[in-house]
């Protein structure tokens, strides 16, 4: 009986000790979270954000690695589009500086791949002309890699607000060239609907129709036949189709050309 009593007191003491230790751990957890420490100390330069990082901590971390594109992308990969946009807006509120501009470029480029509308929204808040052009280029470069058709459509309309004609010309030709790799018919018809008085249109029409001529010359020629004979678009598109056909299937193109000459 005495032994049982001693054993009971020992178990009770052990239980109380465990309860006290658990209480200390539970009281320490909120304190760690409030200081930004869950597994590691917060080090902006290292990018090791705590799990529940504040907006200020995210902003500080991005500014710390603004010159390193890969580290910026890794950091932004952990954020939602809404959080990225929030950081972009916070950056716009800061004075112009190299780290601020570098971080903003990273945010715009990141959003351009999945949420270009939010990236465009950030461009509307930029007041510095040179920075607006830089960010617009970053937007289109990334957007073209994912959706060149959408990038080209934006460049031909709203994008002109952010880019001068020289910058827009090169980017539009690049977007049309990329678009033509998987949808030459769509790219050709899109370019043909643009005003020909704009520099890059003629070049883009030649590139797109040439790509179409390489893949489906018969369909391309049939479409060219629907254009007014005296229209400059007709001449540019017809030249592109024949060039593409000759490159893709020179024997077939030569035969068709001879038949056309003899028929005339």
């Amino acid at each position: 009986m005495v032994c049982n009593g001693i054993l009971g007191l020992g178990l009770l003491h052990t239980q109380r000790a465990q309860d006290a230790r658990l209480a200390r751990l539970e009281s320490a957890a909120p304190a760690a979270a409030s200081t930004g420490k869950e597994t590691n100390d917060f080090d902006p330069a290292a990018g090791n954000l705590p799990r529940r990082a504040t907006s200020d901590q995210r902003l500080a971390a991005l500014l710390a690695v603004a010159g390193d594109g890969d580290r910026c992308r890794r950091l932004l990969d952990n954020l939602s589009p809404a959080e990225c946009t929030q950081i972009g807006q916070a950056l716009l509120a800061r004075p112009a500086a190299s780290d601020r501009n570098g971080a903003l470029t990273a945010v715009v480029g990141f959003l351009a791949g999945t949420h270009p509308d939010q990236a465009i929204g950030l461009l509307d808040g930029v007041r510095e002309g040179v920075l607006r052009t830089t960010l617009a280029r970053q937007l289109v470069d990334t957007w073209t890699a994912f959706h060149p058709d959408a990038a080209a459509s934006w460049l031909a309309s709203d994008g002109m607000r952010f880019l001068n004609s020289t910058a827009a010309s090169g980017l539009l030709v690049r977007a049309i060239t990329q678009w033509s790799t998987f949808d030459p018919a769509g790219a050709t018809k899109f370019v043909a609907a643009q005003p020909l008085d704009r520099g890059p249109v003629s070049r883009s029409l030649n590139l797109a129709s040439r790509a179409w001529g390489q893949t489906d010359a018969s369909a391309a020629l049939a479409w060219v036949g629907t254009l007014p004979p005296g229209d400059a678009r007709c001449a540019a598109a017809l030249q592109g189709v024949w060039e593409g056909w000759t490159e893709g299937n020179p024997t077939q193109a030569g035969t068709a050309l001879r038949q056309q000459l003899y028929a005339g």
Side-chain angles (χ1 to χ4, degrees), residues 1 16 19 29 42 54 61 72 79 162 179 195 202 216 234 260:
M1 184 68 70
R16 286 177 177 173
D19 291 343
F42 170 46
T54 66
C72 284
L79 306 180
F162 305 100
W179 186 358
S202 179
D216 193 347
C234 180
Q260 193 174 71

Side-chain angles (χ1 to χ4, degrees), residues 181-225:
T181 61
F182 64 90
D183 181 18
T188 301
K189 293 174 183 178
F190 169 81
V191 180
Q194 306 303 313
L196 278 184
D197 57 351
R198 291 173 54 177
V201 174
S202 179
R203 171 65 173 157
S204 299
L205 183 56
N206 178 267
L207 288 170
S209 58
R210 188 168 65 190
W212 196 3
Q214 290 176 335
T215 58
D216 193 347
S218 298
L221 288 173
W223 174 80
V224 171

Side-chain angles (χ1 to χ4, degrees), residues 109-218:
F110 181 82
L111 288 172
T114 55
H115 293 76
D117 55 329
Q118 295 189 34
I120 294 169
L122 291 176
L123 289 185
D124 281 321
V126 179
R127 297 291 172 260
E128 306 97 306
V130 174
L131 180 60
R132 278 166 62 92
T133 300
T134 300
L135 294 177
R137 284 179 174 277
Q138 179 65 49
L139 167 66
V140 177
D141 280 342
T142 306
W143 201 356
T144 296
F146 289 91
H147 300 288
D149 48 349
S153 298
W154 181 76
L155 271 171
S157 54
D158 196 42
M160 300 304 293
R161 294 192 295 118
F162 305 100
L163 295 160
N164 59 42
S165 59
T166 302
S169 296
L171 291 170
L172 181 59
V173 170
R174 190 185 313 167
I176 293 298
T177 302
Q178 181 69 16
W179 186 358
S180 300
T181 61
F182 64 90
D183 181 18
T188 301
K189 293 174 183 178
F190 169 81
V191 180
Q194 306 303 313
L196 278 184
D197 57 351
R198 291 173 54 177
V201 174
S202 179
R203 171 65 173 157
S204 299
L205 183 56
N206 178 267
L207 288 170
S209 58
R210 188 168 65 190
W212 196 3
Q214 290 176 335
T215 58
D216 193 347
S218 298

Side-chain angles (χ1 to χ4, degrees), residues 46-66:
N48 58 332
L49 289 170
R51 294 176 189 172
R52 295 183 180 85
T54 66
S55 298
D56 288 343
Q57 288 174 329
R58 294 180 186 130
L59 180 60
L62 187 62
L63 286 168
V65 298

